[in-house]
Amino acid sequence: MKVVGARLPRYDGVGHVTGQTQYVDDVRVQGMLWAKALRSPVHHAKITHLDTAKAEAMSGVHAVVTWRDVPLLEYGHLSALGIPADEPLLAKDTVRYMGQPIALVAADDEDTAQAAVNAIEVKFEELPTLFDVRNAFDEGAPKIHQWGNWYPHFEGDMDRRQIRKGNIEDAFDRADKIISGVYRPAAIEHVPLETQVSLVVPEPDGRLTIYSCTQALYFSLAVVAAHLEVPMNRIKIVGGTVGGGFGGKVDTATETLTALAAMKANRPVKWRWTREEEFLVSSTRAPWHMEIIDAVTEDGWILGRKMLTLHDSGAYARFSPYGLTKHSFHHTGAYTIPNLHFDGYVVFTNRTPTTAMRGFGVTSISFAVETHLSRIADELGLDPYEVRLKNANRINDTSPNRIRYTDPSSVEVIQALSEAAGGELAPAYAGATRAPREGEMLPEHLIGQLKTEGH
Amino acid sequence: MATHRGFGISSIEYPTGMNQNGDPSQAWVKVKPDGRVDVFSGTSDIGNGAKTIQSQIVAEAIGIPYDWVTFDNSNTDSSPVCTGTFASRATFVAGNAVLKAAMDVKQKILEVAGKEMEVSPEDLHIVDGEVQVKGSPDTKLGVADVAAAATWTHGVLMTGTGAQLNEYAEITNTLTGEVSGPPHAAISYAACAAEVEVDDETGDVRVLRLIQVYDVGKAINPSLVEGQIEGGALMGLGLGVLENSYPYYPSPDHRGYSIGSYYMPSSEDMPEYKTAIIENPSADGPYGAKGIGEMANNGQPGAITAAVHDAVGIWVTELPITPELVLRALDAKAEPRREGKLIAFDEELSVNSMASGISWSV
């Protein structure tokens, strides 16, 4: 092979590092207006009064968009997969997080747009808030979402994602040690250099050209078309070059509202978020709460795992049900554990809705599982490499979903790490491979499982 | 008061493509009259190198130089469906789509060349931009000449299309989590070791070195793979010891609102890297490739946590491992509750300690 495997320079690298790449905010068109949003100043409230008349009457203001202007107010990014929508494009009667958009103003410049936002009359009746996922289930907890405090629409009307495999009680009975821990990685920001931005140009033929920083052109096309209730050929998304996304630009953050403002004003409109909006209002990686209880033998085999996950979704579901499902499918990490009992909930809180970010659903698991394994090795006085090599996925082992691994390389990467770090493995571990288990690497608890699953 | 060194490891896996699949990517390719090739794909390039990788795949598959390929992902009028750049899917899923489109157009090129050379297309292949008779490399015709003949002599537009769609894996048992088929494409594996230094007076944790091994299936472009691994590692380091959107979580107060008030890793936090790539080809990725874009920030936090324990004997399980958490843990010298065969850590963080609506136990 000549081209595949070659260390070629990045296709678009020169443009990026010399500042010549054209990003969305670099695009300026004749007659372009600028947008600013009215956002909720409180975490949870009823909207008791909303009057945009003064803002609309201001000189230089060309459109004020509220929920009344949105043809389909609620459409979820995963509606196409059967996950129902819960989040209005603009708040109608309730705000559930600080910063939730209520109206969008398009004006001659950003200062005029902001002055018009400030002129919108809005009143709130504040409601009790919920921020700690652990208290979401308490009897006295404030109810903060129309569906209750946790997502109730998993397949089969389940209110949680559940994995059950093998016989968990038996695993705990047979265990030499039962080791439990709680793992709580923080929410973090995506911090793209390019903040959320879009420019929408109404074309003479009635189409809309939408300049977008989306990570997913067709996702955005489908979402905008659904909200506007127009066929896809009415919209052209222009993009493909993104100034950093890391998952935060899978959501269609600005395109639909900018389009509505452009249609109402019949002028091109650009909406670009300030750095402060990017930090305080854009989605974060979710904070997770994970509790792991492992049943282990003295020599480091993991017989069974019980796990509880509370996924802090923020005020709306967005991609969280998808993220939690992926999380549940991978909750054994790179290891084979035959007896499993997993319960996971997508919990609503009054914070900015969380969303996809690099490693979605699994970054949390990798941290929790690996820290827990290091603890197990430490408690049992075993080599952390050896505990991992023992339990590492091998051909014919099965995943939490009972899918057989056909070509895992966890054994190889652990061995290569040991070598790169200057370590020395005992012969039984240095010679291990991905091949189906046999001998010392096929303990009784896995023989039983392989038989049950017909391998 | 002193600094202490520690070492810890982790080993992780990560799937390629959307969980449960069902996420299409499509592409089409056309040939200009001088043999240069235009690729239309809907894959956004978020800095992951999608434009480069997909162009390399097309050049390799057809047998033409890399700089003959122009890549266009600029809009939804000319580019077909791509679900998007996420779920570590751009190289694998979208890469398969452009590979299929390239193989399709290659067949068209060979058919026109066969007519021009009066040779059966099955007996031809393309090497370095020239169509050659297999086993007789001197009997050849440039792809540029084939493209000219297609345009001006045969009246043919040479195009190719490709689509990749891995079958949706339905959850067939919502109680157990059983699925109808594999819920993702290839799985990638990696392992990570962290060396840290912990200051027991200030609580400061510095990551000195990260040693990382990734099975990438096939490195389509080793420089870009290393870029993903080392760039991702810095994000993992941020997750481990620096970043927090809610410094007083679960409270929403005192959030950082600017790059100056939020602790992102910067160049001075960059550790020494040692990176190794293993190529265990996937069965169905383009040229055996797997996706590793996302997992690149998954391994470091667990390795760092273990290294901090190795250094000063504390387990900090709330991220990031801030100086405050380190100092509090050093003061508390917490031991797990040991009762019979139970060893219970972190009980003060558990739902059992503070919630009445949900409980959790063996």
Side-chain angles (χ1 to χ4, degrees):
Chain A
M1 282 187 279
K2 293 190 166 164
V3 187
V4 162
R7 288 182 177 272
L8 292 166
R10 191 184 287 270
Y11 190 101
D12 44 10
V14 172
H16 289 356
V17 299
T18 58
Q20 294 176 82
T21 297
Q22 180 174 276
Y23 294 98
V24 175
D25 197 26
D26 297 319
V27 183
R28 305 286 154 114
V29 297
Q30 187 96 29
M32 190 174 84
L33 305 174
W34 298 84
K36 286 284 179 188
L38 171 68
R39 299 182 176 283
S40 170
V42 293
H43 296 294
H44 189 202
K46 281 209 170 314
I47 301 173
T48 54
H49 176 75
L50 179 63
D51 184 349
T52 59
K54 277 185 194 153
E56 284 168 48
M58 285 171 67
S59 163
V61 172
H62 297 267
V64 180
V65 176
T66 68
W67 66 271
R68 290 188 179 82
D69 299 295
V70 190
L72 178 63
L73 191 59
E74 290 181 4
Y75 183 78
H77 280 73
L78 295 175
S79 289
L81 292 180
I83 294 177
D86 63 336
E87 182 175 7
L89 193 63
L90 288 169
K92 185 179 175 184
D93 42 28
T94 309
V95 285
R96 294 192 169 85
Y97 69 96
M98 187 180 280
Q100 183 167 359
I102 299 166
L104 191 74
V105 173
D108 286 339
D109 53 62
E110 286 178 310
D111 288 345
T112 307
Q114 187 60 53
V117 164
N118 299 344
I120 295 173
E121 289 175 6
V122 58
K123 287 180 187 152
F124 303 96
E125 179 189 316
E126 284 201 57
L127 297 167
T129 55
L130 174 69
F131 290 105
D132 193 325
V133 289
R134 293 169 294 193
N135 293 124
F137 304 85
D138 294 355
E139 207 177 327
K143 296 284 175 275
I144 62 145
H145 187 282
Q146 61 265 44
W147 292 338
N149 287 349
W150 60 97
Y151 180 81
H153 293 304
F154 288 107
E155 291 91 334
D157 281 331
M158 300 272 288
D159 69 348
R160 63 185 175 201
R161 182 59 79 199
Q162 195 171 295
I163 303 276
R164 301 286 186 271
K165 187 180 179 184
N167 184 336
I168 192 74
E169 287 79 14
D170 183 53
F172 279 88
D173 284 347
R174 284 187 291 122
D176 295 322
K177 298 282 179 198
I178 293 168
I179 301 181
S180 71
V182 182
Y183 303 93
R184 289 163 60 85
I188 67 166
E189 305 289 338
H190 301 85
V191 204
L193 282 183
E194 173 196 46
T195 60
Q196 291 282 3
V197 58
S198 59
L199 162 65
V200 179
V201 182
E203 303 290 354
D205 61 5
R207 300 184 80 206
L208 295 173
T209 302
I210 302 181
Y211 295 84
S212 166
C213 63
T214 179
Q215 289 178 232
L217 295 164
Y218 272 83
F219 232 142
S220 297
L221 177 60
V223 168
V224 177
H227 277 297
L228 301 186
E229 295 184 326
V230 299
M232 285 188 183
N233 69 351
R234 284 281 309 281
I235 295 162
K236 176 182 183 180
I237 307 274
V238 176
T241 299
V242 183
F246 312 109
K249 290 173 181 165
V250 182
D251 296 85
T252 307
T254 63
E255 290 81 350
T256 317
L257 280 173
T258 313
L260 285 162
M263 289 164 75
K264 198 164 182 180
N266 197 26
R267 292 267 295 269
V269 176
K270 181 184 282 183
W271 186 21
R272 57 176 184 186
W273 288 12
T274 61
R275 181 57 64 185
E276 191 168 340
E277 283 177 300
E278 186 67 41
F279 269 102
L280 299 180
V281 182
S282 82
S283 284
T284 66
R285 184 195 285 286
W288 295 74
H289 176 92
M290 296 168 281
E291 306 208 10
I292 297 178
I293 312 175
D294 277 357
V296 298
T297 64
E298 289 284 8
D299 54 352
W301 290 102
I302 307 172
L303 304 179
R305 170 167 296 168
K306 268 191 91 170
M307 182 161 182
L308 171 70
T309 292
L310 307 180
H311 175 178
D312 189 338
S313 178
Y316 294 100
R318 294 200 184 168
F319 290 107
S320 292
Y322 167 89
L324 179 71
T325 299
K326 187 169 181 176
H327 176 95
S328 74
F329 285 15
H330 293 272
H331 80 281
T332 56
Y335 312 99
T336 295
I337 306 175
N339 303 294
L340 299 171
H341 177 111
F342 173 94
D343 285 344
Y345 296 85
V346 168
V347 180
F348 298 118
T349 57
N350 290 112
R351 69 183 77 251
T352 305
T354 61
T355 195
M357 187 168 182
R358 196 174 198 173
F360 192 26
V362 183
T363 309
S364 51
I365 271 291
S366 297
F367 159 65
V369 166
E370 290 309 309
T371 305
H372 202 66
L373 265 182
S374 293
R375 276 177 156 172
I376 289 170
D378 186 61
E379 283 295 327
L380 300 175
L382 301 172
D383 180 318
Y385 287 102
E386 292 179 5
V387 170
R388 286 174 171 82
L389 282 166
K390 245 182 190 155
N391 295 285
N393 292 334
R394 308 274 294 246
I395 291 172
N396 285 347
D397 289 348
T398 61
S399 74
N401 315 97
R402 297 154 179 77
I403 297 297
R404 202 159 57 89
Y405 297 111
T406 54
D407 202 15
S409 45
S410 37
V411 170
E412 284 86 343
V413 295
I414 299 168
Q415 289 167 332
L417 181 72
S418 169
E419 197 186 320
E424 201 170 322
L425 296 169
Y429 296 98
T433 69
R434 79 187 63 170
R437 294 178 181 279
E438 56 177 8
E440 278 179 44
M441 290 295 168
L442 182 55
E444 205 178 318
H445 72 281
L446 289 176
I447 296 176
Q449 186 202 6
L450 292 173
K451 272 189 191 149
T452 315
E453 292 174 359
H455 299 302
Chain B
M1 301 299 169
T3 57
H4 307 265
R5 295 267 176 117
F7 178 86
I9 64 168
S10 70
S11 149
I12 60 170
E13 53 86 48
Y14 199 81
T16 302
M18 269 182 86
N19 195 50
Q20 298 182 256
N21 298 322
D23 51 333
S25 280
Q26 305 172 349
W28 70 285
V29 175
K30 70 180 172 70
V31 184
K32 284 202 167 86
D34 64 353
R36 271 48 175 182
V37 169
D38 300 323
V39 183
F40 295 87
S41 152
T43 314
S44 290
D45 195 323
I46 61 170
N48 56 329
K51 291 179 185 178
T52 320
I53 297 298
Q54 293 188 15
S55 300
Q56 284 182 261
I57 290 171
V58 169
E60 183 72 44
I62 299 176
I64 56 174
Y66 172 75
D67 61 9
W68 285 22
V69 178
T70 301
F71 183 88
D72 188 337
N73 64 352
S74 64
N75 71 86
T76 50
D77 280 2
S78 52
S79 288
V81 168
C82 176
T83 305
T85 302
F86 53 86
S88 300
R89 60 187 302 291
T91 295
F92 190 101
V93 185
N96 265 332
V98 296
L99 176 61
K100 288 175 179 175
M103 297 307 285
D104 190 23
V105 81
K106 181 183 192 174
Q107 188 57 34
K108 310 276 177 58
I109 295 169
L110 293 176
E111 282 164 16
V112 174
K115 286 180 194 163
E116 287 289 301
M117 298 168 79
E118 298 183 335
V119 177
S120 166
E122 293 86 70
D123 296 330
L124 297 171
H125 64 163
I126 305 176
V127 180
D128 292 338
E130 288 182 332
V131 182
Q132 299 175 354
V133 175
K134 287 177 188 165
S136 174
D138 291 337
T139 311
K140 64 190 182 187
L141 184 66
V143 170
D145 299 319
V146 178
T151 311
W152 313 115
T153 308
H154 302 280
V156 171
L157 169 62
M158 297 192 292
T159 63
T161 65
Q164 179 72 25
L165 176 63
N166 297 324
E167 194 180 344
Y168 183 69
E170 194 185 336
I171 295 176
T172 52
N173 186 331
T174 57
L175 301 177
T176 63
E178 282 161 275
V179 289
S180 60
H184 42 67
I187 300 176
S188 307
Y189 291 85
C192 172
E195 273 176 40
V196 304
E197 188 172 79
V198 183
D199 186 319
D200 66 15
E201 185 174 11
T202 65
D204 194 30
V205 177
R206 295 277 159 172
V207 180
L208 304 176
R209 193 154 85 116
L210 289 171
I211 307 168
Q212 306 190 88
V213 179
Y214 281 76
D215 169 23
V216 307
K218 169 72 187 172
I220 304 281
N221 185 324
S223 299
L224 296 196
V225 172
E226 287 161 6
Q228 286 276 36
I229 292 170
E230 293 175 5
L234 203 57
M235 287 183 77
L237 188 155
L239 208 63
V241 300
L242 292 171
E243 298 182 60
N244 196 345
S245 301
Y246 297 93
Y248 297 90
Y249 183 79
S251 162
D253 299 335
H254 305 295
R255 296 188 62 187
Y257 56 87
S258 69
I259 287 174
S261 60
Y262 175 84
Y263 289 122
M264 273 169 74
S266 67
S267 52
E268 68 179 33
D269 298 302
M270 182 120 83
E272 180 190 334
Y273 289 127
K274 184 170 181 181
T275 304
I277 290 172
I278 289 176
E279 293 185 326
N280 167 41
S282 66
D284 41 14
Y287 300 99
K290 301 173 181 178
I292 63 127
E294 289 178 278
M295 73 188 304
N297 70 11
N298 286 2
Q300 302 80 15
I304 292 168
T305 311
V308 168
H309 177 262
D310 186 45
V312 290
I314 55 170
W315 292 110
V316 181
T317 62
E318 291 180 285
L319 296 182
I321 308 174
T322 58
E324 179 177 345
L325 289 179
V326 169
L327 292 178
R328 286 186 191 283
L330 285 172
D331 283 348
K333 294 188 182 67
E335 278 294 313
R337 179 167 62 91
R338 298 173 198 276
E339 201 175 293
K341 60 186 186 180
L342 178 70
I343 305 171
F345 288 96
D346 316 322
E347 288 184 300
E348 71 287 0
L349 298 176
S350 168
V351 291
N352 298 325
S353 73
M354 60 172 306
S356 57
I358 189 166
S359 67
W360 192 244
S361 65
V362 180

